[in-house]
Amino acid sequence: MPRLSEVITALENLWPAERAESWDAVGTVVGDPGQEVSRVLFAVDPVQEIVDEAVKLGADLLVTHHPLYLRGTTTVAASTFKGRVVHTLIKHDIALHVAHTNADSADPGVSDALAGALDLRVVRPLVPDATDPQGRRGLGRICELDHPLTVREFTARVAERLPATAQGIRVAGDPEAVVRTVAVSGGSGDSLFDHVRAAGVDAFLTADLRHHPVSEFTAAGGRTPLALLDAAHWATEWPWCELAAAQLDEISDRSGWGLRVHVSKTVTDPWTAHAASNPIPSATGAPN
C-alpha cells in the first residue's frame, strides 16, 4: 500500500496547488504523511455527513472539492461543526485533501466533467490560463452539442443528467430558442458573464446566478446567450468527483497500489425542498 505522501504527490501532480486562486485554501488539511492508504473517498463538501460516510467506508483519505477552512480559523474545538470534522478525521486516521480552484482550471477539470455528463464536446476554455501554452487549461469550457436542441430540450437534458436537487434547473431565456453552442462553468459563474458574452455562445450553464447580474445581463442587448441555465452549485461540481476518482484509479493501477477508490453519492446541497410557484401572471396581470 502507498503512503499518504505518495498519494498526495500524485494528487498534486493532477492539481498543483500553485494553480489555485490566491484567495483559495487547497492541499492537505489533516493527515500523517507516513500513514498507509488503501481506500479513498471523493466528495464535494467536507461536512460531517461525508466524514461519517468515510468512517463507515473505512477510508484512509477523503478528497473534497470544497475547502474546510477557506477563511482560516482560530479553533478546531469539537464544539464547532468544522472542529468536529477535524476531530472525527484524526480520531479515525482519515486524511483530508482539498482540490478547489486548482481543479477548476485543470485539464481535465471541473467544467470538463460537467460537459462530459451532458455529452457536450469541449472546444476550448471559456477563460484560458495564460500560463498554458497548449491553451487547454482555464476556467469554464466552451462546448458544442452533438445536434441542435431547443432551450427547453437542453434544459431537460441537464435536469436528467445532473444529480437531482431541490432547486432543479432555472432558465432565463426563450424556451424555444435553438442551442448549438454552450458555455459551462461548474460552481458560481456570474462573474464570467463578460467572457460568455464575448464567446458568442447560445447558452450558459452554471450555478448560483443572482437576480441583479442576470437581469442586467439579459437586458444588455447585443449578442448575448439565448439562455442562462442555473443549476445547484453542488450538482454542477459533483461530476468532477467521478472524473477525479477515475484519474486516481488509473494512477493506482499504473503504480501497482491497488487503491479502492469511491465516490460519495450523498447529496450535500444545502437546499432540501422546493415548492413550485403559481403560474406566472400575464404581462398585464398583477402577481398573486
Side-chain angles (χ1 to χ4, degrees):
M1 288 186 293
R3 302 289 180 180
L4 175 63
S5 58
E6 296 175 274
V7 180
I8 295 302
T9 296
L11 299 182
E12 289 283 6
N13 286 334
L14 290 174
W15 316 297
E18 60 268 22
R19 291 183 187 153
E21 298 291 332
S22 59
W23 49 263
D24 206 358
V26 301
T28 304
V29 181
V30 171
D32 178 353
Q35 74 183 72
E36 292 184 334
V37 175
S38 63
R39 195 182 297 269
V40 183
L41 178 65
F42 282 84
V44 175
D45 296 301
V47 294
Q48 189 67 42
E49 189 175 9
I50 296 298
V51 172
D52 291 343
E53 181 180 348
V55 171
K56 184 176 181 179
L57 183 67
D60 308 294
L61 170 62
L62 172 62
V63 181
T64 65
H65 182 51
H66 289 155
L68 178 62
Y69 288 109
L70 183 59
R71 294 176 178 84
T73 187
T74 59
T75 178
V76 293
S79 56
T80 65
F81 77 91
K82 291 188 178 184
R84 186 156 54 92
V85 164
V86 172
H87 278 255
T88 305
L89 290 168
I90 293 175
K91 180 178 180 180
H92 294 276
D93 291 323
I94 302 172
L96 171 63
H97 186 81
V98 173
H100 192 211
T101 53
N102 48 335
D104 286 335
S105 60
D107 171 36
V110 171
S111 292
D112 292 289
L114 176 57
L118 303 174
D119 285 338
L120 302 176
R121 185 177 72 85
V122 172
V123 177
R124 62 185 186 276
L126 176 62
V127 187
D129 182 344
T131 68
D132 177 18
Q134 296 182 328
R136 297 178 60 88
R137 294 197 308 268
L139 295 178
R141 295 293 184 266
I142 296 173
C143 310
E144 295 178 345
L145 277 72
D146 49 2
H147 61 275
L149 297 173
T150 65
V151 169
R152 189 187 307 278
E153 291 169 333
F154 179 60
T155 303
R157 177 190 288 193
V158 174
E160 178 185 2
R161 301 289 182 82
L162 293 186
T165 61
Q167 172 182 318
I169 312 299
R170 301 189 300 175
V171 181
D174 178 1
E176 304 308 320
V178 176
V179 178
R180 296 180 177 86
T181 57
V182 181
V184 301
S185 180
S188 304
D190 58 20
S191 65
L192 303 177
F193 277 169
D194 286 345
H195 298 279
V196 172
R197 183 179 287 109
V201 293
D202 300 319
F204 179 36
L205 168 64
T206 188
D208 297 340
L209 293 182
R210 296 168 294 157
H211 174 88
H212 291 294
V214 170
S215 178
E216 292 169 4
F217 183 76
T218 56
R223 183 63 178 93
T224 60
L226 297 178
L228 299 175
L229 281 72
D230 181 38
H233 189 120
W234 173 84
T236 63
E237 293 180 332
W238 183 83
W240 172 79
C241 295
E242 291 195 323
L243 169 64
Q247 290 177 284
L248 183 57
D249 249 335
E250 182 181 351
I251 293 170
S252 173
D253 290 345
R254 190 167 64 243
S255 305
W257 289 345
L259 292 177
R260 289 163 288 180
V261 182
H262 306 262
V263 175
S264 173
K265 292 181 170 57
T266 301
V267 177
T268 54
D269 183 74
W271 304 105
T272 57
H274 171 82
S277 301
N278 292 325
I280 299 173
S282 67
T284 57
N288 293 331

